[in-house]
Amino acid sequence: MGLRDSGGLPYSKASVFDMFCFWAMTIDILFLPYLPFIAVSVSVVVGVSWMVLNLHRLYHDKEWEWFVIMLFLMLMGTIMTAFYTGTVRFETSVSTSIKRFLQYGICFCYYFFYKSYFEKRKVDIRKIIFWAVIFMALFALAYRLFPEQYAALKIAVHPSDNHTRRFLANMVSYRFNYLWTDPNNIAYLAAGVSSWYCLQNKNRFVHTIIVLLASFFIIFCTVSNGGLIIFIAMITFMAAGTIKKLICNKGRVKTNVLIVAVAILFAAFFLLSFTSLKHVLYDHYIVNFLQRLEVYLGANSSPSGGRFEDLMHGLAILSPVTLILGTGQEGIVTEIGHIYWIGMYGVLAYFIFMYLMFRKNRNQTWRSYLWVIPFFVGFSMNIAIGEFKWMAVYLLLLAYSRSSQGQEIEWEE
């Protein structure tokens, strides 16, 4: 009888291709490593192919129009790479600038695909995200138990992973970076994805707790101070909202919620008081965070890890010409995403980028928008968009949250 959609209607060839693209792209960005040596995502060909075949669908899309303008401005900034002779913190070659131009352009192919797909198909992506977090946590466990073996396997799968390569050369302490490159990006991703998951409607309580615990473990393994801070801040904020909605019901405490809360507190007290968990946490995790904090304070006299100084250097380098045209140079700054994008492509391209990436839609509730905060911090403090899959995963969640089904997010009464 052939494939049928959720309404019982037969799939067209176009919709079958869309469904193939959805699973190929989603499985790739969440579960698969980069291609060896060139650090390119496997599904890039799929995303670009869909875009080429569906350009006619996008002509009347306002976001697409803004994207085309931004792409032109990005091209101008990329061309400037060959002519810019000003001072930068490190130089970017023409080939690298072209690679970045293509990378960011292709990432938005993922966004427009997911936007189109969620408009036509009602898809519950919670299960995919749940298993992606569990999958990442299992890799974090392997890293924690067998760091040397994990590093050897990781460098075989992802040879361009400089962090793992430096660890194997005894140059740095090893921090978990999943199948990707930068440990901080993994931390901000885990904080953002777990926040998104917690804000979904009708999640099973046990699944929410599993996602939070798994994300907490992942972030500890990355030893990212910024990731840990934003994760705790998000959980605290959401917990306050949950307590307001769930704990009190007409002035009375719900019995089942009270039992769960007491059980969690009792279990935590028992584990910390009568087992070696407290010492394990301190020796293997907290010490690493404190050591990194000491390095920041000692080297820069700033808990920001030198980011304020990076911002000041970047602002000093920018000029009126570069503000308009950009420079194509990544080396304007090393950490601050806003100055990075302005330095690469100019102020106008920056405003369009911020509009596409981080705006809140008028019909979007604050509850369906709050999860963006960890990703925004990751971009602001770590230029996390340089990690292709980080940006692609964010755009997957963004497209879903802006869709009609994403607007159904609510905290349960």
Side-chain angles (χ1 to χ4, degrees), residues 388-399:
F388 182 93
K389 293 194 176 188
W390 187 96
M391 186 172 174
V393 172
Y394 170 72
L395 291 175
L396 160 65
L397 300 180
L398 185 68

Side-chain angles (χ1 to χ4, degrees), residues 84-148:
Y84 182 75
T85 57
T87 302
V88 290
R89 304 194 75 174
F90 63 88
E91 291 190 5
T92 304
S93 66
V94 174
S95 62
T96 298
S97 186
I98 293 172
K99 182 183 75 172
R100 289 302 186 198
F101 169 77
L102 294 173
Q103 174 182 328
Y104 298 134
I106 291 171
C107 268
F108 277 102
C109 290
Y110 283 67
Y111 173 70
F112 288 109
F113 164 75
Y114 284 124
K115 179 181 177 181
S116 172
Y117 193 78
F118 293 138
E119 286 174 353
K120 296 180 297 181
R121 300 281 175 220
K122 191 172 181 62
V123 184
D124 185 356
I125 64 172
R126 289 177 303 165
K127 291 182 180 179
I128 306 171
I129 297 301
F130 175 82
W131 287 112
V133 173
I134 299 302
F135 189 72
M136 190 181 298
L138 291 175
F139 273 81
L141 181 62
Y143 148 85
R144 185 71 263 173
L145 296 176
F146 314 105
E148 295 285 348

Side-chain angles (χ1 to χ4, degrees), residues 26 65 75 164 167 248 254 270:
T26 304
E65 293 175 1
L75 180 60
T164 302
F167 165 71
C248 295
K254 292 183 177 181
F270 177 83

